[in-house]
Amino acid sequence: MTDLERLRHSASHVLATAILKIWPQAQFAAGPPVENGFYYDVDLPHRISPDDFEKIEAEMKKEIKANHPFEKIEVSRDEALALGKQGRLAALGERAEPSRYKLDIIENIPTDEKISLYRNGDFIDLCAGPHVMRTGNIGAFKLTNVASAYYKGDESNPQLQRVYGTAFKTKKELDEYFAMLEEAKKRDHRKLGRELELFVFEDDVGPGLPMFLPRGAVIAEELEKLAKETEFAAGYQRVRTPHIARESLYKKSGHLPYYAESMFPPMELLEEEDKRERDRLTAELMEKRSHYLGHEPEGEPTDADWAFQEEGKKVLFELKRRIDALGQRYYLKAMNCPHHHKLFAAVPRSYRDLPLRLAEYGTCYRYEQSGELFGLMRVRSLQMNDAHLYMTPEQFEAEFNAVNEMYLNYFKLFGIEKYLMRFSTHDPAKLGQKFVDEPELWKQTEEMTRNVLTNSGINYVEVPNEAAFYGPKIDVQAWSVIGREFSIATNQVDFAQPRNFDLRYKDRDNTDKIPICIHRAPLGTHERFIGFLIEHYAGNFPLWLSPEQVRILTIGDDAKLIDYARSILKELRAHQVRAEIDESTDKINGKIQRAEQMKVHTMFVIGKRDMEADAVSVRIHGKGNLGAKPRAEAIADILDAIKERRAS
């Protein structure tokens, strides 16, 4: 555990101590640290509510003030079971009722594993640790909420109360955390998405299937434009592929059966010729069935009778097999890679053609569980910034590095200062189940990837058992300006699919070789990346990305003033600037307020004096008035900021 996790783990024991002092009959299950704090699952007749937090926290403060040491006690299995039967585990003393959840946990501890307890004051708990030295080291804490949770996550088990809290070393850190949570509520992409008219979900369309309104579509198109320009400069070639494919494609790629649970169910399609053949075979099946099953032997069945029945089984089975084989099963595309592999194989390839970089903003469909859907962050329809790079082994390091450098350049553009690359490897014990059964290739490609990451000095952590089924991968975690973590991009090595598709190129010695493939998506999907950007910028997009870049506001509705405003609008739109005019009869303060609410980046406020001087008064959202500028200069500034994709 990290120091902070150790502190929070200790706080969960103090929480249990406090609950027992108020409700001595409480039974406890698990109490681990989690990403943003800690919890403890408790079985208690009293329904704990936020109204109880104050008195629970008061007891926790007493335990912290007492500064009890956390003492580790190693015990035998028999000793642990005896204490559990005496009700002494997760308790302040012996009780009439056994510590039933702790007894269950002990029964599931491997026989060769040591068992330890931890004591703070009168409280003793079954626990592997670690903890801080004393309760007084816990620092600042706060209970946050209470929820229901089934024991071990199984609906057939008792439903417990899960009391959550968080803890930090200092009060300042605790206050900053809750300030961040308040800011996160304001920045929630679902809330801002509605207010800024960016995207919607509709029941008639389906859960997890977002639709972008014009203002949201602008952001998606700007991101796609950025990717196309960046990839063109890096030597990528663009391709386009269908939204569906036959089952055979995904069997060849290996996605079936490994990925089936994340794919939409298949569609069964029968051509007219297949329908006629199906009807003919069905009629033959019924006739044969009557022939074979209708034969009833007289007296005891003879060997000939049994042979007749066996022959019938074979004939009927074969007819049924031929009927089932008719038609085709099609799947909605869950990934672009099999299509791109087919495009690689479409023409003969030489080592001179490599590296070959095929890119596509392809639409994919994944059947995420309904409980996992979350705004734009977890959807069932996704526009993916996808590409597949085919290369020789000698080219791997340069290509993998170039992809990582592309990530870093994007991070700089979007002001992403904190990020981490998670290097996911395989589990040898799960070869042939979760991962392709190629132990030597796993070892080779993981070592290649590890070397590139180490040599490039990129910040990364290694995570076992999370690789793609066909090879090691990098998942990029990024933090928004308020510290919220997002998984926004991926870079994957693939040694399996090129073999499955028999992809080949002619090497210098005129022999056929199989290329290495890299799957990469630096901007992830439109959906998730836009959700991230909404929260990262709080909807205050930089000018180049802003759905509405300029709004022209007139002071009054004089005909000449309106004509002047329209001439500016025409000039801006001639340069592809997303500009509008507010031609309402409202006062100028009302017009400004509306523009500010929609987070329009730049406002050109125009009065009679501005018109006479061929000028505009410039106002920037969140910054206020910048003063009057000549019209030509103001427009030139707009065009330069958009072209350079300035951060503000």
Side-chain angles (χ1 to χ4, degrees), residues 157-175:
N157 286 334
Q159 191 176 67
L160 308 178
Q161 299 181 69
R162 179 167 292 180
V163 184
Y164 285 95
T166 192
F168 290 87
K169 293 179 182 178
T170 66
K171 176 73 161 53
K172 181 174 180 290
E173 290 174 311
L174 184 71
D175 291 342

Side-chain angles (χ1 to χ4, degrees), residues 117 178 199 209 279 324 377 440 573 581 648:
L117 314 176
F178 282 101
F199 62 90
L209 302 173
D279 292 344
D324 291 342
M377 299 303 181
E440 289 305 313
R573 293 184 72 85
I581 294 181
S648 60

Side-chain angles (χ1 to χ4, degrees), residues 356-475:
L356 178 67
R357 310 176 187 97
L358 303 180
E360 176 181 20
Y361 250 107
T363 305
C364 297
Y365 304 88
R366 295 180 182 171
Y367 193 74
E368 302 286 359
Q369 297 299 312
S370 58
E372 295 177 341
L373 298 176
F374 179 69
L376 293 180
M377 299 303 181
R378 203 71 180 263
V379 293
R380 289 174 172 168
S381 169
L382 15 136
Q383 299 279 324
M384 188 173 292
N385 171 220
D386 217 353
H388 295 86
L389 288 61
Y390 304 88
M391 69 212 68
T392 68
E394 297 76 23
Q395 295 167 335
F396 174 78
E397 182 170 348
E399 291 301 307
F400 199 83
N401 249 336
V403 171
N404 288 338
E405 285 299 319
M406 187 181 287
Y407 286 25
L408 299 180
N409 288 334
Y410 282 144
F411 295 166
K412 185 177 180 181
L413 175 65
F414 293 108
I416 300 170
E417 296 179 353
K418 184 181 178 183
Y419 57 87
L420 177 70
M421 296 198 179
R422 289 166 53 90
F423 172 35
S424 299
T425 58
H426 79 299
D427 179 353
K430 295 183 180 178
L431 289 173
Q433 303 166 28
K434 185 177 179 181
F435 306 109
V436 172
D437 193 6
E438 295 280 0
E440 289 305 313
L441 285 173
W442 276 106
K443 184 177 178 181
Q444 177 188 348
T445 51
E446 286 179 355
E447 189 61 27
M448 290 168 66
T449 306
R450 190 179 293 109
N451 288 340
V452 174
L453 289 168
T454 302
N455 293 339
S456 62
I458 289 175
N459 185 26
Y460 80 95
V461 294
E462 193 161 324
V463 185
N465 197 31
E466 288 191 11
F469 74 85
Y470 47 66
K473 67 173 180 173
I474 305 294
D475 287 318

Side-chain angles (χ1 to χ4, degrees), residues 27 83-84 87-90 95 97-103:
Q27 290 272 355
L83 287 168
R88 186 67 184 91
L89 298 180
R95 299 187 293 185
E97 188 176 357
S99 305
R100 54 182 181 276
Y101 298 106
K102 300 299 177 178
L103 286 170

Side-chain angles (χ1 to χ4, degrees), residues 8 34-38 53 141-145 164-168 172-192 374 479-486 535 538:
R8 289 170 172 171
V34 288
E35 183 180 358
N36 292 312
F38 60 89
F53 287 175
F141 71 92
K142 186 175 178 63
L143 299 184
T144 53
N145 65 299
Y164 285 95
T166 192
F168 290 87
K172 181 174 180 290
E173 290 174 311
L174 184 71
D175 291 342
E176 287 173 349
Y177 171 74
F178 282 101
M180 184 272 286
L181 290 184
E182 285 304 310
E183 183 64 20
K185 289 178 185 177
K186 298 175 189 174
R187 291 173 178 250
D188 189 309
H189 76 280
R190 296 165 299 175
K191 171 179 176 289
L192 289 174
F374 179 69
W479 282 260
S480 69
V481 292
I482 59 166
R484 288 193 64 181
E485 182 182 358
F486 297 82
E535 299 193 4

